[in-house]
Amino acid sequence: MSTFKHWRSGTAGLMALGITVGAVAPMTVPAPSFAQVSAFADVPANYWATPFITELASRNIIAGFPDNSFRPEEPVTRAQFAAMVSRAFPRAGQRPAVQFTDVPSNFWGAAAIQQAYTTGFLAGYPGNRFEPNQNIPREQVLVSLANGLNYTATTDVNSVLGQFYADANAISGYARAPIAAATERRIVVNYPNVQFLNPTRTATRADVAAFIYQALASAGQVAAVNSPYIVGQAQQPTAPTTVTIPSGTSLPVRYDQAERILVTREETAPLTLTVAQNIITRDGTVLIPSGSQVVGELRPAEGGSQFVARELVLASGQRYQFNATSEVITRTERVRRGANAGRIVRNAALGAAAAAAISAVTGDRAIATEEVLGGAGVGALLGLFLGRDSVDLVAIDPDTDLQLTLASDLVLTPNATTQQ
């Protein structure tokens, strides 16, 4: 939870990012089109489906939960989809209603199911069943939209599917023609890889929001969104600009090698963190790809320890001088004489001085070198702690303590940005 709180504070900074233009004397454009702020606590500004979700929520086509969440990765049932599609496309019925045997009149979604059925968006199963609580696959959502909106493919179905989907053979026979028609209308949105439809995968709330939004956009009812995940959409070329991420922006990072880090208050220990999420613009341009490395070190600071970044290494291998810091961590863990060293160091990364302190105080000289961050050798530091009954070490939780704030503007050059 703490990590997410840090990230939410960071998205506000990303909203204010400026784009600088020019090679010699860049000037700042004050209002770039970065990802819009979501109304939901669990849909960050850089989430791939934020533009779709935010607009549909503003039109009351989709809604969140009482805790201000949207739960974009949750599966969608057939009843839930019926409710969404009925709100998105209110229209007169085209066929008589039926009474499904598994949809009692007092079922919460009974009216929406009847609306979706009579308007041609959804049908039942043999035995007059609707299966309202069954999760709906992605291909079934697309078939529903294509059928309900009367889409028809204008070119050869297999050619369309083969052109756009690497997994075209996985599309069910009944779904091939409707999905080809939906593809021609730019209804299909595939995340994380635009070339893979994953037709039988259960549709998430984010998936359905994106499909419905695109259907509305195809009908001219909402503005078009430029997203790298819309199948067949011609992406806008990236302009030859320089992008500036301003001082004060928070960046989400993670450290995967250990669940906690122990250092002494006095030591400096090298540390490399990983960028936890893509930092992107609204049009899908990746400024800092997830997985990029932040190289720096833990340094003594105000009675504790602080991570100070010095270099950003993008996934492409490009390097930038990087001035960012974490908050000062002052929380400590006391190691006492006779304590079990194995238990102390389990799932922990250690500064060399911290490793020496644990070894000296507990009497355990067998701390593995792979547990120790670079720096001075453990053996050379043992003498500093021999004879002590206890030692206090700074205890760092990487998930909550090492989120970074830029201490100065970070300027990225054009060839550092790519389309997601």
Side-chain angles (χ1 to χ4, degrees), residues 143 146-147 151-153 157 161 171-183:
V143 169
N147 289 344
Y151 295 161
T152 302
V157 168
L161 300 180
I171 301 173
S172 301
Y174 80 93
R176 296 182 71 82
I179 289 177
T183 301

Side-chain angles (χ1 to χ4, degrees), residues 121-279:
F121 282 98
L122 287 170
Y125 290 97
N128 210 26
R129 294 176 298 107
F130 185 78
E131 302 290 352
N133 297 316
Q134 181 184 88
N135 290 340
I136 189 166
R138 282 167 54 86
E139 66 178 3
Q140 195 175 117
V141 172
L142 293 169
V143 169
S144 168
L145 292 172
N147 289 344
L149 297 172
N150 299 313
Y151 295 161
T152 302
T154 60
T155 54
D156 180 72
V157 168
N158 290 329
S159 296
V160 172
L161 300 180
Q163 176 184 353
F164 290 104
Y165 305 113
D167 55 353
N169 289 338
I171 301 173
S172 301
Y174 80 93
R176 296 182 71 82
I179 289 177
T183 301
E184 291 180 341
R185 295 291 191 110
R186 307 290 186 261
I187 305 303
V188 186
V189 184
N190 292 338
Y191 176 87
N193 190 325
V194 72
Q195 296 180 352
F196 285 85
L197 178 63
N198 293 302
T200 59
R201 190 180 71 193
T202 296
T204 65
R205 286 168 56 80
D207 288 334
V208 172
F211 293 156
I212 289 177
Y213 186 95
Q214 285 303 107
L216 291 169
S218 178
Q221 297 182 43
V222 295
V225 169
N226 185 34
S227 166
Y229 305 115
I230 298 173
V231 176
Q233 183 183 71
Q235 295 300 306
Q236 298 297 321
T238 303
T241 58
T242 298
V243 181
T244 299
I245 303 180
S247 174
T249 298
S250 296
L251 299 177
V253 293
R254 67 177 190 269
Y255 181 70
D256 298 327
Q257 281 66 49
E259 295 177 3
R260 60 197 182 109
I261 301 171
L262 298 176
V263 294
T264 66
R265 291 190 181 95
E266 298 81 15
E267 75 174 302
T268 297
L271 190 67
T272 298
L273 305 177
T274 302
V275 176
Q277 293 176 303
N278 284 342
I279 308 302

Side-chain angles (χ1 to χ4, degrees), residues 3-11 14 41-48 50 73 191 245 250-254 274-280 286-294 312 314 403 420:
T3 301
F4 178 66
K5 288 168 64 179
H6 277 287
W7 174 233
R8 286 191 66 195
S9 66
T11 60
L14 290 176
D42 57 349
V43 183
N46 74 330
Y47 183 65
W48 71 269
T50 293
E73 302 302 322
Y191 176 87
I245 303 180
S250 296
L251 299 177
V253 293
R254 67 177 190 269
T274 302
V275 176
Q277 293 176 303
N278 284 342
I279 308 302
I280 65 175
V286 179
L287 303 180
I288 302 176
S290 173
S292 297
Q293 302 293 301
V294 178
L312 173 67
L314 300 185
Q403 302 308 301
Q420 223 180 0

Side-chain angles (χ1 to χ4, degrees), residues 260-264 305 329-334 392-398 400-401:
R260 60 197 182 109
I261 301 171
L262 298 176
V263 294
T264 66
S305 186
I329 304 103
T330 58
R331 181 176 55 256
T332 60
E333 179 177 323
R334 178 160 293 182
D392 290 333
L393 302 177
V394 178
I396 300 169
D397 182 341
T400 59
D401 296 334

